[in-house]
Amino acid sequence: MNPAGLELEVAGLEVAYGGVTALADVNITVPAGGFVSVLGANGAGKTTLVRSITSLLYLHKGRVRRGSITLGGQSILGKKSFEIVQAGVAQVPEGRKLFPNLTVKENLLCGAASRNDISGIDESLEQNLELFTQLRPLLNQTAGLLSGGEQQMVAVGRALMSQPALLICDELSLGLAPRIVHRLFELLTEINETRGTSILVIEQNANLALQHAANAYVLELGRVLIQGSAAELRGNSMVQELYLGGGDEAQNSYAAIPRPAQRRASSQRRSPSGSES
Ligand SMILES: Nc1ncnc2c1ncn2[C@@H]1O[C@H](COP(=O)(O)OP(=O)(O)OP(=O)(O)O)[C@@H](O)[C@H]1O
Ligand SMILES: [Mg+2]
């Protein structure tokens, strides 16, 4: 049995790395059983939002300065990461982060580390293989040898092994062929509709995200710039310009949005290690 989805509420969230503010007054809601997308350019703060929810900021010397994060009405802010998994949150991290030398099956089982119901774990594994049928013959294959699309399926499957009430996917589409990304989004929709799992996808591929999500937010420089139903955002000229390939008119209206002052000196950049870990 999969648990029902839970509502995630992020309110007034402010996050900093040292003296650099990465998120400022961010308010985002994923309704119970909802499908929400957060769009944003490089450096907008998308991964920082994920790290804040999953309590992994400390690994990157980041900290929450202000705000609250609740899941199903209970605060998860300040909890340990394993407690957040137990509370019902699972993430597919940016860049997948599989254990390349372990097999597909071992990687999937890692996602069940918070559980001790052996027969339930077997059942979840079987559920995963029914969803990601192409992984069944690859169960004993070394994960690092799989194609990018197969690896992403393992990453989603691993997250599902904890039976999450909320599944967060950070840049699912990164480096994958459009056909594969399309299939992954179809599978997310299936998970959302058949299990009631709440879904939060963080994406630069706005086309698919806005097709599958019900609501969406656009982050820019750590703030929510635009929010609304996915249909509203698809019709929004600024979103069309930024993410869907719009024309000059959209570009002008985007440029005209009033913005707070740049949040930091251009010399202050992230560590050379680059992307999420
Ligand atoms: N470990 C870190 N130390 C210092 N600054 C960081 C760190 N990680 C991120 N930042 C800064 O915080 C801001 C938000 O970064 P974040 O990685 O959350 O953006 P993103 O929207 O996920 O970008 P991308 O699309 O490139 O993944 C950026 O200005 C980034 O330079
Ligand atoms: Mg990111």
Side-chain angles (χ1 to χ4, degrees), residues 37 68 106:
S37 176
S68 63
E106 287 163 344

Side-chain angles (χ1 to χ4, degrees), residues 17 42-48 51 94 204 263-264 270:
Y17 297 99
N42 292 122
K46 305 180 299 295
T47 297
T48 301
R51 290 172 182 161
E94 192 175 68
Q204 289 196 43
R263 64 174 175 229
R264 61 182 178 275
R270 73 168 80 184

